[in-house]
Amino acid sequence: MEKIEYKEKAIEEISVRVKEILELLGEDVNREGLRETPTRVAKALYEMTSGLRTEPPKIKVFNLSETGDVEYEEDQLIVAKDVGFSSLCEHHLLPFIGKVHIAYVVGKGGKVAGFSKLIRITNYYASRPQIQERLVSQIADALMNSDVEPKGVLVIGSGVHMCSFVRGVKDREANLVSIATRGVLKTNRSLRNQAMRLIESSTKQNLL
């Protein structure tokens, strides 16, 4: 839990620096539309980087062995699709937004992850200055090393990056796709292809 005193102090300090940046850009920070902007920007940045100051959420486990069908449930392929995310590119501090798709293979204990926890872990690692390639790897590692104990994990991320959308090459069509694989979903090509087909079946070849 973040301390209120630290949060208020941080937002105050950030807002001062945002005001300085606007002045350096040639803006009149006292005009009507910008008077509250430094504070708004500070609050937004603080919210968008919450993952830097909080503990990762614990992935809740449901034990399917309690149903008596462990033999059947082991090796089951689970896919969570279209998990939306937004993050800040660590190179320009501009947003990149998109979707993450997560697949994993149930292990010997017959454990599965709570669906909402997969969303929370995605949001946690997205809430910081980030690159998409690292984001999918962190999600994959978090699930692979969790109490779920899956045999394998596959994470696909697809995002539009404002650093190339609004500046530089200004490409409005390009999106970046990144993939991380662990365990049997790294070593078993057939199983990996099956997981990717399940993901692509509902995205209609458009992962974003």
Side-chain angles (χ1 to χ4, degrees), residues 106-136:
V106 177
K108 291 182 179 180
K111 301 173 185 177
V112 298
F115 182 37
S116 66
K117 299 304 180 184
L118 297 179
I119 298 173
R120 290 183 184 278
I121 204 72
T122 297
N123 289 332
Y124 172 76
Y125 285 110
S127 297
R128 64 190 65 201
Q130 186 62 280
I131 58 173
Q132 188 176 309
E133 296 87 345
R134 184 193 302 126
L135 174 61
V136 295

Side-chain angles (χ1 to χ4, degrees), residues 86-158:
S86 60
S87 189
L88 285 175
C89 168
E90 67 180 38
H91 299 140
H92 300 94
L93 292 185
L94 290 172
F96 65 97
I97 58 175
K99 292 180 179 178
V100 164
H101 314 280
I102 304 168
Y104 66 96
V105 179
V106 177
K108 291 182 179 180
K111 301 173 185 177
V112 298
F115 182 37
S116 66
K117 299 304 180 184
L118 297 179
I119 298 173
R120 290 183 184 278
I121 204 72
T122 297
N123 289 332
Y124 172 76
Y125 285 110
S127 297
R128 64 190 65 201
Q130 186 62 280
I131 58 173
Q132 188 176 309
E133 296 87 345
R134 184 193 302 126
L135 174 61
V136 295
S137 290
Q138 289 175 329
I139 296 169
D141 287 336
L143 180 54
M144 191 68 187
N145 298 325
S146 72
D147 292 340
V148 178
E149 299 179 327
K151 290 186 175 181
V153 175
L154 178 147
V155 180
I156 301 177
S158 178

Side-chain angles (χ1 to χ4, degrees), residues 9-194:
K9 181 64 173 177
I11 289 175
E12 179 183 350
E13 293 287 345
I14 295 168
S15 65
V16 169
R17 287 156 177 78
V18 173
K19 183 178 180 180
E20 292 173 350
I21 291 171
L22 288 171
E23 289 175 331
L24 287 169
L25 291 173
E27 262 291 3
D28 176 8
V29 295
N30 294 311
R31 69 178 176 85
E32 182 64 27
L34 282 180
R35 288 175 188 167
E36 302 301 322
T37 295
T39 300
R40 293 191 189 102
V41 172
K43 289 180 178 179
L45 287 172
Y46 198 85
E47 176 184 344
M48 295 170 72
T49 58
S50 62
L52 294 173
R53 301 175 299 277
T54 55
E55 293 296 320
K58 186 175 178 61
I59 299 178
K60 187 174 182 179
V61 173
F62 295 93
N63 196 335
L64 299 182
S65 62
E66 296 174 359
T67 67
D69 291 329
V70 177
E71 183 176 355
Y72 172 77
E73 298 294 352
E74 183 181 347
D75 295 324
Q76 182 177 355
L77 184 59
I78 308 292
V79 179
K81 295 183 280 193
D82 299 323
V83 179
F85 74 87
S86 60
S87 189
L88 285 175
C89 168
E90 67 180 38
H91 299 140
H92 300 94
L93 292 185
L94 290 172
F96 65 97
I97 58 175
K99 292 180 179 178
V100 164
H101 314 280
I102 304 168
Y104 66 96
V105 179
V106 177
K108 291 182 179 180
K111 301 173 185 177
V112 298
F115 182 37
S116 66
K117 299 304 180 184
L118 297 179
I119 298 173
R120 290 183 184 278
I121 204 72
T122 297
N123 289 332
Y124 172 76
Y125 285 110
S127 297
R128 64 190 65 201
Q130 186 62 280
I131 58 173
Q132 188 176 309
E133 296 87 345
R134 184 193 302 126
L135 174 61
V136 295
S137 290
Q138 289 175 329
I139 296 169
D141 287 336
L143 180 54
M144 191 68 187
N145 298 325
S146 72
D147 292 340
V148 178
E149 299 179 327
K151 290 186 175 181
V153 175
L154 178 147
V155 180
I156 301 177
S158 178
V160 172
H161 293 243
M162 292 301 106
C163 54
S164 62
F165 190 98
V166 300
R167 60 161 297 282
V169 294
K170 294 185 178 180
D171 191 319
R172 269 85 171 165
E173 302 295 329
N175 65 78
L176 180 69
V177 177
S178 50
I179 301 174
T181 54
R182 303 289 185 270
V184 295
L185 284 172
K186 184 181 184 71
T187 60
N188 188 322
R189 179 180 296 181
S190 176
L191 191 59
R192 182 172 65 252
N193 288 343
Q194 180 185 356

